[in-house]
Amino acid sequence: MKHKYFLVLNLVIVFLTATSYCNAQIKETEAIEILQKIDNAISNISTVVYKMDRKDKYFSKRDTIQQTVICSLLIAPKDKFKAYNILDFEYKGVEGHTYGHRKYDGKKALWVTYFNLDSLNTGIPPDIYTKKREVRAIVQNYSNMLLQEYFSEKKPFMRYKVSAGMIKIDEEVLNDEPVYMLEIHYQDTEDYRDAVVKHYIRKSDYLPVAYYSTIKFENMEQYMYYEVEYLAINPDIPKDAFAVQNNETFNAEERYRDFRQKAFARQ
């Protein structure tokens, strides 16, 4: 699955410099304090295991893609992607029902996809990538599942400090938990319009628990929405667990069964 359309959205949002005015519900000084607390909470994470439920709608597609993800991250500030990862996901869309397993250790990447769940017992060998350009392309392909909105740069929220008074911050409830909802509007460009980003921040610990973004191009709209459930924060995961071996294999049936147990344990 390629996510090239959301690369467009990410680039547009990165290079827009001004937000449109919103009547903030919280004073500017309090808004800056909230931004700082969010960055502090994120910076205190060295390892994390999370479940992500996400919905994506691309410009050129009519259907919405639904994915459930279980991901382990080891934060690596000097790495291009800022983290090593072990990721499993289940994808449902008009194209079918797919299970995938990914891994990245900073130098190598592992990729395997089962496009038919009846084939989990076939023992498909994973593709192992070692060339730098290929590795980067592979990880970039699924980077939208890696909480890049929060781990791709240092202090991601303090970049909004200069316009803190123009960010709309409301107090809401999401999945029975009190949250801050930060809503940011971006200026229209020659090509894109109505770009909006929303961050949902849990009030108890200032960690992001949901993210929404949308943008329009001509008569098409693109959006993404995901929710995050933290399964473990700062667990003791050794770096070796992320290592990609040249001859690596795994039992897809067992791994998929374990994935399903973690993903739907609380439902």
Side-chain angles (χ1 to χ4, degrees):
M1 290 177 295
K2 302 296 182 181
H3 298 282
K4 60 183 179 181
Y5 300 105
F6 270 110
L7 295 182
V8 173
L9 174 60
N10 290 338
L11 288 173
V12 170
I13 288 176
V14 166
F15 290 106
L16 289 173
T17 58
T19 57
S20 63
Y21 182 76
C22 292
N23 292 320
Q25 304 299 303
I26 291 178
K27 294 181 180 179
E28 182 174 357
T29 54
E30 186 177 354
I32 293 174
E33 183 179 354
I34 290 171
L35 298 177
Q36 182 65 66
K37 287 182 177 180
I38 299 170
D39 279 346
N40 289 343
I42 293 171
S43 67
N44 286 332
I45 292 179
S46 55
T47 58
V48 63
V49 182
Y50 60 86
K51 171 189 171 184
M52 173 189 287
D53 288 311
R54 63 180 297 131
K55 296 180 179 180
D56 299 315
K57 161 65 175 62
Y58 302 117
F59 282 130
S60 64
K61 303 290 184 179
R62 291 185 178 181
D63 64 307
T64 298
I65 296 173
Q66 299 184 51
Q67 296 179 90
T68 299
V69 178
I70 298 290
C71 183
S72 299
L73 293 182
L74 172 64
I75 305 305
K78 295 183 180 180
D79 184 78
K80 174 178 174 58
F81 294 99
K82 307 303 179 185
Y84 308 145
N85 66 74
I86 305 170
L87 182 144
D88 294 88
F89 71 92
E90 189 171 22
Y91 158 85
K92 293 181 181 179
V94 293
E95 298 172 357
H97 189 172
T98 299
Y99 164 67
H101 176 53
R102 312 281 187 260
K103 190 190 286 191
Y104 169 68
D105 64 6
K107 294 182 179 179
K108 300 177 183 178
L110 177 151
W111 172 291
V112 64
T113 301
Y114 288 82
F115 293 100
N116 186 339
L117 296 187
D118 292 334
S119 66
L120 292 175
N121 61 354
T122 58
I124 298 174
D127 293 320
I128 308 297
Y129 297 88
T130 59
K131 295 181 179 179
K132 183 179 293 187
R133 182 174 296 180
E134 291 180 343
V135 170
R136 289 185 174 181
I138 289 298
V139 181
Q140 185 65 57
N141 183 277
Y142 65 91
S143 61
N144 62 338
M145 305 182 197
L146 302 176
L147 297 183
Q148 289 280 291
E149 291 80 17
Y150 307 112
F151 292 113
S152 63
E153 62 179 282
K154 189 176 181 181
K155 297 183 178 181
F157 281 85
M158 285 306 286
R159 62 179 171 167
Y160 299 128
K161 181 178 179 180
V162 294
S163 56
M166 301 170 70
I167 297 175
K168 181 180 179 181
I169 302 180
D170 285 333
E171 297 184 38
E172 298 184 1
V173 175
L174 178 69
N175 296 329
D176 298 324
E177 286 192 297
V179 298
Y180 291 112
M181 190 281 290
L182 284 64
E183 182 174 324
I184 303 164
H185 292 244
Y186 293 86
Q187 286 184 333
D188 293 346
T189 69
E190 233 176 78
D191 298 313
Y192 299 97
R193 59 186 173 83
D194 300 335
V196 179
V197 169
K198 297 180 182 180
H199 301 274
Y200 296 82
I201 308 299
R202 191 162 59 188
K203 292 180 70 175
S204 61
D205 56 11
Y206 291 90
L207 287 176
V209 291
Y211 174 88
Y212 170 82
S213 67
T214 184
I215 194 169
K216 293 179 180 177
F217 171 68
E218 295 182 346
N219 63 340
M220 298 180 292
E221 181 180 13
Q222 176 170 285
Y223 64 82
M224 71 164 76
Y225 175 75
Y226 66 74
E227 296 181 0
V228 177
E229 177 185 346
Y230 296 96
L231 304 180
I233 296 175
N234 291 328
D236 185 14
I237 306 177
K239 185 177 180 180
D240 289 347
F242 297 85
V244 177
Q245 308 299 330
N246 290 332
N247 58 349
E248 187 159 342
T249 60
F250 71 101
N251 186 315
E253 288 183 299
E254 289 184 3
R255 189 162 191 96
Y256 177 69
R257 188 162 50 246
D258 182 60
F259 162 79
R260 293 283 299 184
Q261 289 176 348
K262 291 178 181 178
F264 303 103
R266 301 186 183 183
Q267 293 188 0

